[in-house]
Amino acid sequence: MDTIEKVKCLIIGSGPAGYTAAIYAARAEMKPVLYQGMQPGGQLTTTNEVENFPGYPQGITGPEMMMELEAQAKRFEADIRFGFINKVDFSGSVHKCWTEDGKEIHAETVIISTGASAKYLGLPSEQKYLLSGGGVSACAVCDGFFYRGHETVIVGAGDSACEEAHYLSKLCTKVTMLVRKDDFRASKIMADRVKNTPNIEILFNTDTVEVLGDDLVTGAKVKNSVTSEERIIPCTGFFVAIGHKPNTDIFKGIIDLDETGYIKYAQPGTSLTNVPGVFVAGDAADKRYRQAITAAGTGCMAALDAERYLASLEH
Ligand code: NDP
């Protein structure tokens, strides 16, 4: 029993949502403890340059921005820890959480900011250019600007792929969309928008064989799954838009999730989940916006909601 740690506010996850929640919670003297999770800094650590977060007129790299957010949280004495929470029990009035090495934490409030992970094709060449920042991205809104006046390729056939292809078409001379089946999964209106955009070429029944290049991406080798014909499409940017997976597996059966695993808000416009004292911020509950700034905004909301919840217990 004496190994149990009691905390007022436990924050699970360290992207812009988690760090912003930590800044607010620490300034409100809730002494937050934040577990950084598997990928400290979250998805932004795989982004090169962030140019759309207000307050950085010259832009900043994703990893640098996360270090700054961490430093800001530490300045107010948030307790930032390397490690992750791999089990929770929210059935009682105390929220019980366990770290991967078996430490038990009892938290009065919990802020879930575990984020989501973009899905990738899994090709070695794709991962190589993703990790090197050489031209593979899973976020057109984040990185499309760097390909102004260039030719790009985007993989996927859902609403995200259509939205991102359309976004890229305004910046790029040509966008080639690779659809693995013979039709879109996207809603008709989104698919029609793509079909009616002159500088988007759609290749159906088409799989990616390899992302080509030297230090930077120069093209994609693709294969028609019906004819087996292979061809090379020149491009400097290779975008993957085949869906995201929210990092919510440990909350299954404990917190209300939607059919794709995103945490459901108990009240729209708040950070409340169905469990009193447990709040959610960032991409774990957001399949629509997925931006650093929106994650940070909801991190602020979760900390304020947690503070109000604690105050309500005292009265
Ligand atoms: P979806 O899961 O809807 O679509 C994923 C797409 O990627 C599918 O077309 C799928 O192909 C394709 N895909 C998956 N794996 C591979 C692979 N290995 N190789 C090639 N293609 C692959 O994800 P989205 O992110 O598009 O959308 C998620 C949710 O968010 C949906 O409910 C969507 O409606 C919603 N959304 C709504 C928007 C809006 O209304 N403005 C904007 C963006 C998203 P296949 O069809 O062959 O399975």
Side-chain angles (χ1 to χ4, degrees):
M1 276 300 277
D2 55 0
T3 58
I4 295 174
E5 182 182 7
K6 294 190 173 156
V7 303
K8 268 193 175 174
C9 178
L10 179 70
I11 300 171
I12 311 176
S14 60
Y19 284 137
T20 305
I23 293 165
Y24 273 78
R27 293 185 81 253
E29 302 198 323
M30 290 158 70
K31 301 195 179 341
V33 171
L34 180 151
Y35 275 84
Q36 289 180 310
M38 303 280 252
Q39 188 185 17
Q43 287 184 84
L44 268 186
T45 53
T46 60
T47 299
N48 267 344
E49 195 74 13
V50 180
E51 291 187 327
N52 54 8
F53 198 96
Y56 295 100
Q58 305 308 321
I60 182 165
T61 70
E64 271 178 309
M65 188 173 136
M66 288 305 105
M67 285 191 311
E68 291 211 354
L69 288 184
E70 181 178 343
Q72 194 172 351
K74 282 182 171 164
R75 183 182 151 208
F76 301 110
E77 295 176 8
D79 185 347
I80 312 286
R81 298 180 187 172
F82 186 70
F84 57 95
I85 302 292
N86 67 358
K87 188 177 144 197
V88 297
D89 175 358
F90 296 157
S91 58
S93 56
V94 170
H95 308 104
K96 298 179 182 171
C97 304
W98 287 266
T99 64
E100 85 279 14
D101 50 13
K103 182 182 172 63
E104 184 170 344
I105 299 174
H106 289 187
E108 288 176 59
T109 62
V110 176
I111 295 176
I112 300 170
S113 48
T114 46
S117 305
K119 293 183 193 163
Y120 290 95
L121 300 174
L123 299 169
S125 54
E126 167 207 57
Q127 291 302 305
K128 177 183 140 188
Y129 291 110
L130 173 71
L131 296 175
S132 70
V136 169
S137 167
C139 180
V141 177
C142 316
D143 298 326
F145 192 70
F146 302 114
Y147 302 94
R148 273 165 305 159
H150 291 221
E151 294 186 17
T152 51
V153 163
I154 183 163
V155 185
D159 284 331
S160 296
C162 290
E163 199 167 72
E164 302 213 346
H166 192 248
Y167 182 88
L168 289 172
S169 73
K170 293 189 221 145
L171 300 165
C172 304
T173 48
K174 183 177 175 193
V175 180
T176 306
M177 202 168 176
L178 308 181
V179 175
R180 68 176 171 180
K181 292 190 186 144
D182 61 1
D183 202 1
F184 283 98
R185 181 190 293 195
S187 53
K188 188 175 178 312
I189 184 165
M190 302 287 273
D192 283 348
R193 186 178 302 160
V194 164
K195 288 178 190 163
N196 295 329
T197 303
N199 64 338
I200 300 179
E201 183 182 7
I202 304 157
L203 302 181
F204 290 104
N205 300 310
T206 302
D207 296 315
T208 309
V209 179
E210 196 184 351
V211 181
L212 305 170
D214 302 314
D215 289 343
L216 301 173
V217 170
T218 56
K221 187 197 265 190
V222 304
K223 183 176 181 175
N224 184 301
S225 55
V226 176
T227 63
S228 294
E229 185 202 338
E230 289 192 346
R231 60 188 270 204
I232 289 172
I233 303 167
C235 65
T236 54
F238 183 87
F239 288 85
V240 184
I242 60 172
H244 285 75
K245 184 182 181 311
N247 302 319
T248 56
D249 287 353
I250 62 166
F251 306 110
K252 255 182 214 158
I254 294 171
I255 294 273
D256 282 351
L257 308 178
D258 75 7
E259 65 290 351
T260 47
Y262 287 89
I263 293 175
K264 283 193 202 153
Y265 288 113
Q267 271 178 42
T270 72
S271 68
L272 276 59
T273 70
N274 62 307
V275 177
V278 178
F279 307 89
V280 62
D283 288 11
D286 174 17
K287 58 181 162 191
R288 189 177 174 90
Y289 299 106
R290 299 191 184 112
Q291 299 301 300
I293 188 67
T294 50
T298 52
C300 159
M301 289 162 66
L304 294 178
D305 285 337
E307 190 187 350
R308 280 180 199 146
Y309 171 83
L310 286 175
S312 74
L313 294 183
E314 284 163 16
H315 292 120

